[in-house]
Amino acid sequence: MSNEIDIFQYLSLVRYKGLSKIIKNITKKKISIILDFEDSSKDIFSPKNTLILKSKCRDGFKYLNSLNVKYPNIYLRINGLKSKFFKEDLICLKKNLNKGFKVKGIFVPKIEKYDDLKIINKLLDLENKKIKLIPMIESKKGFLNVDNILSMDKKKLICAVHYGHFDYCLSKRIWPFPEPYHKEYWDMVFEIINACIKYKKKFIQTPFPIINNPKLFYKSISYIKSKFIDLDLSLTLVNYDKRFFNKSYIFGDKLIIKKISTDKEYKIKFAKKIMNTYINTKKSKKSFSLSEKRFIPPHQYLAAKYFLNKNEKK
């Protein structure tokens, strides 16, 4: 039994001129790359800035194509079919897809039914281009339909399933977001894993949120493999950190799991902490913030804000 797993590194296309150097470093480690058109180019405080960031992503894709990058494990994450940015992504992809470097697969956010994948496959002629689809399960409806989505894939358009924890928690108004040392986190993850095993699909884990703890990262891999030894597993990273690039793990390395506190005062205090940290550390060209412990997605800020509005005494 191999103790190696695949790792996917998200890379924002916003600051695209510095990407070629990062990509060269990643290729030495044989890490798969996800060039991101979606969440990494979103400013929840400024729709105008979001438009600028989305445009930069499309420019970045054109630019990287012009460099003719040679690497077999490059993927894209586009904006979802229902997004107002999807049409512009589509125009960009029709002009540039596989013109410079080869794309192996496309991550599609917020998939809730198989028909959406069929539409994207047809629009981009992906079968003929030999580009696979990776549905992202990020909503209650998507969760409920994952078995149906995979059962309908007779043409084998799907090569893997990616769990989107932050969107899912926001859509269900969960607070706080469960993290890799919480039982509630794994209860969610295991549901999708079971469907992947049933239909023999790769499971791509949600991005690891704890940025200062590589040991926890590898313990979480061991924990999954202890429950699902034959699972075709991949991990994803948002924060670029070579400490997480070791693709092997120690089987049996114990992960200590606990339940999330139900104390309301703790939840309020934590929500304020997340909101303050997000605001104080967010950069104008990034949608995520970084604290000393974790990266904070905009979804987490919005969920904290919603919770405080509902629960804090006025």
Side-chain angles (χ1 to χ4, degrees), residues 21-191:
K21 184 177 180 180
I22 294 174
I23 290 172
K24 283 181 183 178
N25 289 332
I26 287 176
T27 56
K28 292 175 186 177
K29 297 286 186 178
K30 297 183 179 179
I31 304 295
S32 295
I33 295 165
I34 308 171
L35 299 175
D36 190 20
F37 286 75
E38 199 220 9
D39 276 347
S40 63
S41 55
K42 181 190 297 181
D43 189 335
I44 58 174
F45 305 122
S46 172
K48 183 179 179 181
N49 193 35
T50 295
L51 289 173
I52 294 169
L53 296 175
K54 294 293 182 185
S55 178
K56 283 183 179 290
C57 285
R58 294 187 289 273
D59 290 343
F61 186 59
K62 296 174 197 173
Y63 173 78
L64 288 176
N65 263 291
S66 73
L67 299 181
N68 200 22
V69 177
K70 301 292 185 185
Y71 189 55
N73 294 320
I74 298 178
Y75 296 76
L76 306 178
R77 175 169 68 172
I78 61 174
N79 289 283
L81 197 60
K82 295 178 182 177
S83 165
K84 63 183 178 181
F85 304 109
F86 177 76
K87 287 184 179 179
E88 290 173 278
D89 284 359
L90 184 63
I91 293 167
C92 175
L93 292 174
K94 282 186 172 181
K95 288 180 180 177
N96 298 287
L97 192 60
N98 280 2
K99 294 294 172 65
F101 58 83
K102 297 292 183 183
V103 170
K104 192 171 184 178
I106 297 178
F107 286 70
V108 188
K110 300 176 180 65
I111 288 297
E112 296 180 337
K113 56 184 179 179
Y114 187 72
D115 283 350
D116 289 347
L117 296 173
K118 288 168 64 178
I119 290 168
I120 292 170
N121 175 64
K122 185 176 180 180
L123 288 171
L124 292 171
D125 193 26
L126 297 181
E127 270 187 285
N128 287 332
K129 292 184 174 76
K130 296 183 179 179
I131 297 174
K132 294 293 187 179
L133 288 165
I134 301 97
M136 298 182 68
I137 304 302
E138 303 183 287
S139 67
K140 182 179 178 181
K141 187 175 179 182
F143 237 80
L144 293 173
N145 287 347
V146 64
D147 194 282
N148 181 257
I149 291 166
L150 294 178
S151 71
M152 294 182 70
D153 188 35
K154 307 303 182 187
K155 287 190 172 184
K156 300 192 182 301
L157 304 178
I158 298 170
C159 67
V161 176
H162 187 24
Y163 172 45
H165 184 63
F166 310 117
D167 270 293
Y168 180 70
C169 290
L170 178 60
S171 72
K172 290 199 71 179
R173 304 297 190 192
I174 295 170
W175 188 259
F177 285 11
E179 296 190 303
Y181 37 74
H182 290 137
K183 180 182 182 299
E184 295 86 349
Y185 175 91
W186 294 108
D187 288 344
M188 298 170 187
V189 170
F190 288 170
E191 282 194 51

Side-chain angles (χ1 to χ4, degrees), residues 9 211-214 237-245:
Q9 174 71 58
I211 63 173
N212 68 349
N213 197 336
L237 301 167
V238 171
N239 191 47
Y240 179 72
D241 186 337
K242 292 180 182 178
R243 294 179 300 165
F244 293 83
F245 286 178

Side-chain angles (χ1 to χ4, degrees), residues 268-306:
I268 289 172
K269 184 178 179 181
F270 187 59
K272 289 179 178 179
K273 179 181 178 180
I274 288 293
M275 289 182 68
N276 289 335
T277 304
Y278 183 83
I279 291 168
N280 292 333
T281 61
K282 184 185 176 300
K283 305 283 179 65
S284 63
K285 291 185 178 180
K286 292 186 177 181
S287 63
F288 295 87
S289 286
L290 294 176
S291 71
E292 291 183 359
K293 182 177 180 181
R294 61 172 59 82
F295 81 84
I296 304 170
H299 319 66
Q300 199 167 14
Y301 171 89
L302 293 171
K305 184 177 180 181
Y306 178 84

